[in-house]
Amino acid sequence: MVNSDWQGHALNKILKDIVNRFHVSIGQLRSVSETRFELETKSDNMYSYLPGWDCHGLPIENKALQDLKEDLHSLLASTIRDAARMTAEREMKIQREEFEKFAIMADWSKESTYRTLDHQYEMRQLRIFQKMVSKGLIYRDYRPVYFSPSSRSALAEAELVYRDDHVSHSVYVAIPLESTLESTGSSKLMQIIGQESIRLLVWTTTPWTLSANMGIAVHPDLVYAIVRSPRQSGLLVVAKDRLSALERVLGSTEEVDIVAELPGSRLVGLSYRGIFASDAPSSNSSDLHGLLSSGMLCHVDGQGKFSRHVMDVVHRELGGESLAGLEVLKGGSKAIVKILEDCGALLAVERIKHRYPYDWKTNEPVIVTATSQWFANLDNIKENALTALGEVTFFPPTSRNRLAAFVRSRSEWCISRQRVWGVPIPSLHHVPSGTAVLTPASLSHILDVLDKNGVSYWWDGPVGEFLTPELVAEYGEGEWKKGTDTMDVWFDSGTSWSMLAEREGGKHRADICIEGSDQHRGWFQSQLLTAIGTADDNTVPVSPYGTLITHGMVLDEAGKKMSKSLGNVVSPLTVINGGADKKRDPAYGADVLRLWAATVEYWRDMSIGPTVLAQTAESMRKIRNSARFMLGNIGSTAPQDSETASCGKEGFRAERFVMNELYKLEKTALEGYAMYNFPRVMVALTNFANITLSSLYFDITKDVLYANDGHSIERRVVVDILERVLRTVTSVLAPVLPYLAEEIHAHRGANASARSFFTHKWEPLGIEWEDHQAEKDMGRLLTVRNAVLSLLEKARGDKKLKSALEAQVVITLPPDGRQAGVCGIATA
């Protein structure tokens, strides 16, 4: 919700509004769903558009903390929640005003909008969660998860972005082997080595994990070499295949002496001595499963800093006390490297650029650490989810593979967050046994209490009120605590489909969802997964949406991502209202902003900036001038009777041609809007206004309009055509340019009896206006006209005439000219 003053936000809302206005215009009822908006149609003549806001999550909480100007851990949770609610209310008011400026058609009154912080919405969300619990999809586990120190919360895979330019300080560390090699069963090997000390050479890009090391990974099928290096003391065990890659650490392969070789299987089970090693199970999910039963060390707290428990391993004399409180990704990692060096365990440090996960909200690196979290098991529902996607229409079609790949690759969803602003996960924790209770029965009682007292009562009410006699009897005496985790905000928005009434016949609740490409990993998934996760097992899987439309990201004119630090952000409000320097940032109005959104190929990443906006404004000016010309001439002539109006249909070639072109324009527009290809509509409209109207029809009818008697047949036919053209052109442009449509409507006098243009249904032209013969005939005449205009321009350039009115045109045809075409043209 925060940072609404961005072009991507405006693009998204305008695209949705174009869809809505089009379907309102043609009277075809649709249901559009999104994170912040729901649309449900009610009858043949009316529709109900229910705007709403996604109010929870990290951006709002962080904004509230900025306003409070105090650290998160110095404040009461209730203080943060109150501030976050106020921030959400303020941001909703700001956004509502912005949306109105974007010409978003909606009833913005409080009675006609919803917020995810509303009691009814939160209770509906919790009931959906309860159903997933009852189906056995929700569980708790202590395991490595992605953790964002900048957000101070666990993250799901879908909340990560990967950067290829991350730089880590990797270390090469030697760990003394404590077991003797006699246990490998090779007495010959012992004779070769003798009593020399042996160390295991390990490597890691995360030195901060070494304090929690519990094992070193070896591959049983690889060959390991015991080597002597002139650069290092003692013997080292390394993978034989890696010797060439270790030349910087050990020396060239010619310098390194291979004392013995042995398979990795003989190393498995040996013990080693020392403080640090290469593999901290709680920080590497791929290596932890064999150690879960014996417990894991984790020395990182909820702020991404070393906790005081690190001193249990790194003792005071080694510098352990200095580690406590250091951020592991910053000073903590460097401090570990220094301790390794002081201990004589560090062989080398190397900067390495590699792919690394970042928090997509804060754009800061994450860590992997072990914590207790709540998960949704997706293994049992993702096949149904993929089946349901098979019935969904995607635009662009290529986006189907992207979403399906994301769903297919997920086996679980970490749904708990360590934030205070959000919908609670109402779990009860029995302190003596360490048991977390989250069952359908416990939830049934808890949700009844919350429905009566408000969801915030979970934080404020006494724990005893949430306990049932059955729980007390089962666990006996002892202290109970309420869970403090909140739900992933994607679970909030992912249940928005429940706002729409279920349709008969298993149809999709929402016809259309429109969002940016980043939502393939977010809201598109969470809607689908919560809907499938709560569906009855004996029903056919049905997606909550029928069509998914994906738009790209808005970039600056150089193709760079917009960033305040780069100073290249183009504010939609600046486009509409202008900036402080009106010459540099003129006020274009909402219609130009909307025309830009409808002109770009929005399904790809797109650019915006001064040049693009100036070109869009020029296109807008030409469309508007065409409408002004028609209005100016229609206003001076009385409405036509049917006899006069029919002349345009039967007798006048130019009029028949224009109406055929109008028929083609409208057909293109109806198809383009229906297929969400708005640029195709705008290109057709612009070409019609510039070429068919301004360059041709307006030019050839000026004499009739300006010189003929107002009641002459010729003039009345032309005006009748202008009236028909204006009516259809206004329908074509209205979904994109509502201000211009209303302006045209307001200036049509007696014909504008309704308050808004959008109260009129778009009535397409009849098939009788499709005229291939007129198109063919005018094609020949336009060939002649273009040749004449070219010669006239040449004559003006040669100073032979000043005005086209001074010229005489001679057209010479051969005897069979009717069939052969024009033979020659000359001007005199």
Side-chain angles (χ1 to χ4, degrees), residues 140-147 153-155 282 296 298 300-302 367-375 414 416 418 485:
R140 187 172 175 84
D141 203 357
Y142 181 77
R143 58 192 304 176
V145 295
Y146 291 107
F147 187 88
S153 179
L155 298 180
S282 68
M296 292 182 290
C298 183
V300 182
D301 64 17
I367 61 177
V368 179
T369 188
T371 60
S372 292
Q373 302 290 340
W374 293 100
F375 298 87
C414 180
S416 51
Q418 288 68 57
D485 289 342

Side-chain angles (χ1 to χ4, degrees), residues 128-129 131-132 135 137 378 381-382 384-385 388-389 413 490-491 493-500 502 507-510 523-537 539-545:
I128 289 173
F129 178 71
K131 190 164 186 180
M132 293 181 70
K135 296 183 70 174
L137 297 175
L378 306 181
I381 64 172
K382 66 180 179 181
N384 282 347
L389 284 183
W413 173 9
W490 292 124
F491 203 100
S493 56
T495 60
S496 59
W497 54 266
S498 64
M499 296 288 293
L500 299 174
E502 189 171 359
K507 299 295 185 181
H508 312 289
R509 297 198 182 205
W523 179 61
F524 287 166
Q525 279 194 63
S526 63
Q527 270 208 108
L528 177 67
L529 296 173
T530 54
I532 298 298
T534 54
D536 294 335
D537 294 334
T539 59
V540 177
V542 178
S543 165
Y545 38 69

Side-chain angles (χ1 to χ4, degrees), residues 76-142:
L76 293 174
S78 58
T79 302
I80 300 173
R81 278 191 285 271
D82 291 343
R85 178 175 288 274
M86 291 176 61
T87 300
E89 296 280 0
R90 182 184 71 237
E91 293 296 326
M92 283 188 282
K93 183 177 183 297
I94 293 171
Q95 285 195 6
R96 183 171 61 249
E97 293 170 353
E98 289 180 2
F99 296 160
E100 291 173 351
K101 292 176 182 177
F102 300 161
I104 307 301
M105 183 169 61
D107 178 359
W108 297 105
S109 65
K110 189 173 182 179
E111 295 73 24
S112 299
T113 56
Y114 80 90
R115 298 92 53 84
T116 60
L117 56 71
D118 289 336
H119 175 72
Q120 291 302 322
Y121 190 98
E122 290 181 332
M123 288 307 303
R124 187 182 296 107
Q125 175 182 335
L126 286 167
R127 295 292 182 190
I128 289 173
F129 178 71
Q130 180 186 20
K131 190 164 186 180
M132 293 181 70
V133 170
S134 68
K135 296 183 70 174
L137 297 175
I138 307 299
Y139 64 96
R140 187 172 175 84
D141 203 357
Y142 181 77

Side-chain angles (χ1 to χ4, degrees), residues 129 152 198 253 322 348 367 430 470 511 513 516 564-565 573 605 615 677 688 696 704 712 727 778:
F129 178 71
R152 299 182 182 179
I198 301 176
T253 53
S322 65
I367 61 177
H430 185 240
E470 291 78 12
D511 289 310
C513 289
K564 289 183 178 179
S565 61
L573 296 181
D605 289 349
Q615 293 169 347
N677 192 338
F688 181 79
L696 176 62
V704 172
S712 68
R727 186 186 312 142
M778 280 298 293

